[in-house]
Amino acid sequence: MLGNGVSLSPSNAPASLQGNAFPSFSVRDNVRAQAAVLRSLGVDLAAKPLDLIFGYSMGGLQAYEWAVRFPAAAKAIAVVCGAARCSPVNQAFLLSLQGALCADSRWNPARQMFDAFPADGLRALARVYSGWGVGEAFYEQRLFASPQHGHRTDATVAGFVKESYEVAFLNSDADDLLCMASTWQSAEVSDTAGGDLAAALSRVEARVLLMPCASDRYFSLDAARHEAKLLGRRAVLRPIESAVGHRAGDPWRRGLEGEDSFIREQVHALLAGTL
């Protein structure tokens, strides 16, 4: 994605695009760029649509954007722990992350960038994120201390937050994180239909597999149910029953083998036309 530190991002942009000069990117910008790459490679989606567009988290936002903006480009989309828009609760979550990060003294509001590595802000962001990234039951059932989910040197909530969240975010670029949060915050597939989500989703021609996690705190099961209702017979809703919340959709960690198998089974069925 644009802004993720691999594609064009604040961390790798030339000096002429630093700070205030760096552009804002939307989910739509990303999808248009992806379509342009495919065209440049000689891929004719009108003649041969993609079998599947798979998206986890912000990738799910993009999968929806593809299905609405380019209805004939893919036969199916799979949205895993994602949604068609950034919901109000999602907006509040992102505002809390931005506020925690930019409270660091190294934030330069005039230049809209950090003047130095904001270690304090990244730790604060990580601690806020730790309350949203996994489900409530993950803490209440003390799964963070379970050997099933990996041995920790400090089997306390504080130890889990430090080892699982702070370490990860301290290896991130803060300006890239703000760029990605801005992209996420502006996600709204119904922009193509004047804010009418039902009208926007009526453009979808692809078969849609929706796989929210029942305990996801920001891409919720209720939102997926609403989208499935609007999509009607084009959609299949297959919730992931897991205590790990949003992490269930990216099951590379130890202890998530069941989530991984379930996602694979459903996606394979989607591709086989048996859902």
Side-chain angles (χ1 to χ4, degrees):
M1 284 187 68
L2 297 166
N4 68 355
V6 179
S7 299
L8 178 66
S9 307
S11 62
N12 60 30
S16 60
L17 288 180
Q18 293 291 320
N20 288 329
F22 194 83
S24 296
F25 294 123
S26 66
V27 170
R28 184 169 302 119
D29 292 331
N30 278 274
V31 169
R32 290 173 61 195
Q34 293 159 16
V37 169
L38 290 175
R39 287 195 299 271
S40 73
L41 295 173
V43 177
D44 185 353
L45 296 177
K48 188 176 181 181
L50 302 172
D51 288 329
L52 174 69
I53 295 174
F54 179 98
Y56 161 68
S57 192
M58 290 182 73
L61 297 169
Q62 293 171 78
Y64 259 125
E65 185 69 30
W66 264 102
V68 170
R69 181 158 291 275
F70 304 109
K75 299 174 185 176
I77 68 169
V79 178
V80 181
C81 294
R85 67 202 327 181
C86 184
S87 68
V89 69
N90 217 165
Q91 297 274 353
F93 165 56
L94 292 169
L95 284 171
S96 69
L97 298 182
Q98 292 162 327
L101 184 52
C102 293
D104 192 292
S105 62
R106 301 163 186 85
W107 172 247
N108 187 326
R111 299 182 65 201
Q112 290 291 293
M113 64 182 295
F114 290 96
D115 290 329
F117 183 70
D120 294 339
L122 287 167
R123 287 192 184 93
L125 179 150
R127 293 181 180 189
V128 173
Y129 212 115
S130 69
W132 290 80
V134 293
E136 180 182 351
F138 187 82
Y139 289 108
E140 296 303 318
Q141 297 174 16
R142 296 189 60 80
L143 297 180
F144 60 86
S146 169
Q148 178 187 9
H149 291 277
H151 174 72
R152 303 197 181 281
T153 56
D154 179 1
T156 63
V157 170
F160 167 72
V161 170
K162 180 177 180 179
E163 294 182 27
S164 189
Y165 281 94
E166 290 184 24
V167 170
F169 280 110
L170 284 168
N171 282 309
S172 302
D173 183 272
D175 291 301
D176 289 352
L177 289 174
L178 288 177
C179 182
M180 293 288 285
S182 176
T183 299
W184 184 351
Q185 209 165 30
S186 67
E188 176 56 84
V189 79
S190 68
D191 280 350
T192 60
D196 186 334
L197 183 60
L201 295 184
S202 71
R203 292 174 49 83
V204 174
E205 298 177 7
R207 185 74 165 150
V208 180
L209 171 61
L210 298 177
M211 298 194 71
C213 178
S215 61
D216 197 327
R217 296 173 68 86
Y218 43 88
F219 288 127
S220 72
L221 175 56
D222 283 346
R225 284 177 175 146
H226 179 60
E227 292 161 4
K229 183 178 180 180
L230 294 177
L231 287 163
R233 297 181 65 181
R234 292 163 293 168
V236 177
L237 180 64
R238 293 288 188 270
I240 306 167
E241 297 296 335
S242 173
V244 303
H246 193 65
R247 287 186 172 190
D250 183 28
W252 59 269
R253 295 174 178 85
R254 180 178 171 183
L256 302 184
E257 294 81 8
E259 289 86 344
D260 179 72
S261 294
F262 181 68
I263 292 170
R264 289 178 183 273
E265 288 170 4
Q266 299 304 313
V267 172
H268 289 169
L270 176 67
L271 288 168
T274 58
L275 277 183

